[in-house]
Amino acid sequence: MKHYFQKGKDASKPVLLLLHGTGGNEHSLLQIAEMIDPDASVLSVRGNVLEHGMPRFFKRLSEGVFDLDDLELRTKELNDFLNNASVEYGFDRQNIVAVGYSNGANIAGSLLFYFEEALKGVVLFHPMVPRRDLDIPSMDQLPVFIGAGVNDPLIKMAETEELKEILEQNGATVTLFWENYGHQLTEAEVMNAAKWYQENFRK
Ligand code: MLT
């Protein structure tokens, strides 16, 4: 997959896996990684699917309606990519914290739904429930941060609560931060995600 890797100052830190929203690319979230942990390595990936020229991580049939076959294929493709990237760049595959926004948050969520221990932690900005028809692996105490908007036109508050519940039922420890805006990512969300990261990974 097309990507950007930058080795961090401190190799013991988690590798921040950046997953952009629809129409973004591997450069879109770099500033956010800097705000979360300026010393961590960064692996920022571009989605392999194009929708009217806009990169995404998997196909959709319409807004909010996912192509589940493609979601499965692309989730496995991303997981394989992470396995290979850890060998190529020499980092610990078990030490990845994903940071995804919108479509990127949805594939990050999907990684958790398919693969046990795919991630050490995850920041989901404006995620949906990736799918509802799987037996989900255990996420024993996996730290998850969700940032969501009370007026998000794409994601109802109930869907955010549903995702939190699914993750918690499978053992994850979820911190949910509500922002008063819509689908856009705000500075307050990023600052709260940075605080959550500090509490969980910089102790
Ligand atoms: C998706 O397709 O993943 C969601 O609708 C969010 C987005 O617009 O990318």
Side-chain angles (χ1 to χ4, degrees):
M1 298 180 77
K2 198 164 172 22
H3 64 279
Y4 166 84
F5 179 78
Q6 186 181 291
K7 198 169 169 23
K9 288 185 208 111
D10 185 345
S12 71
K13 292 287 183 72
V15 172
L16 296 179
L17 168 67
L18 307 182
L19 302 164
H20 61 80
T22 301
N25 61 37
E26 64 277 26
H27 304 294
S28 305
L29 300 179
L30 292 177
Q31 270 188 333
I32 289 174
E34 182 75 23
M35 287 163 78
I36 291 177
D37 189 347
D39 296 333
S41 298
V42 168
L43 176 61
S44 190
V45 186
R46 185 187 296 198
N48 263 346
V49 167
L50 280 181
E51 183 185 86
H52 309 300
M54 294 184 297
R56 285 176 54 84
F57 287 95
F58 55 88
K59 291 183 195 156
R60 61 181 162 183
L61 306 175
S62 61
E63 200 171 83
V65 183
F66 301 159
D67 176 332
L68 295 180
D69 291 339
D70 195 60
L71 176 61
E72 176 163 334
L73 187 122
R74 300 294 174 186
T75 303
K76 291 181 175 167
E77 181 182 57
L78 178 59
N79 192 57
D80 288 344
F81 169 78
L82 296 176
N83 294 342
N84 294 333
S86 68
V87 176
E88 184 181 345
Y89 295 115
F91 63 80
D92 178 0
R93 174 65 185 85
Q94 303 306 316
N95 200 19
I96 298 177
V97 172
V99 179
Y101 167 61
S102 190
N103 182 246
N106 293 337
I107 193 125
S110 186
L111 272 176
L112 303 178
F113 277 33
Y114 279 94
F115 299 104
E116 195 166 350
E117 298 183 353
L119 300 168
K120 192 173 187 189
V122 61
V123 174
L124 304 172
F125 290 125
H126 301 260
M128 296 168 126
V129 176
R131 61 190 304 162
R132 294 178 170 84
D133 55 350
L134 286 184
D135 269 342
I136 301 170
S138 158
M139 302 172 192
D140 193 24
Q141 296 190 3
L142 177 83
V144 179
F145 177 91
I146 299 178
V150 294
N151 295 311
D152 192 326
L154 287 179
I155 309 157
K156 298 253 180 305
M157 288 175 78
E159 179 160 1
T160 305
E161 300 283 3
E162 182 189 352
L163 178 63
K164 178 174 186 278
E165 219 172 281
I166 294 170
L167 295 170
E168 284 176 344
Q169 273 166 6
N170 288 282
T173 305
V174 182
T175 301
L176 173 55
F177 176 76
W178 284 109
E179 177 57 283
N180 267 323
Y181 294 98
H183 196 63
Q184 74 267 41
L185 180 55
T186 69
E187 193 174 337
E189 279 174 74
V190 178
M191 296 317 289
N192 275 275
K195 186 168 158 265
W196 164 92
Y197 176 90
Q198 285 232 346
E199 286 162 7
N200 284 283
F201 301 104
R202 294 176 81 175
K203 279 180 272 189

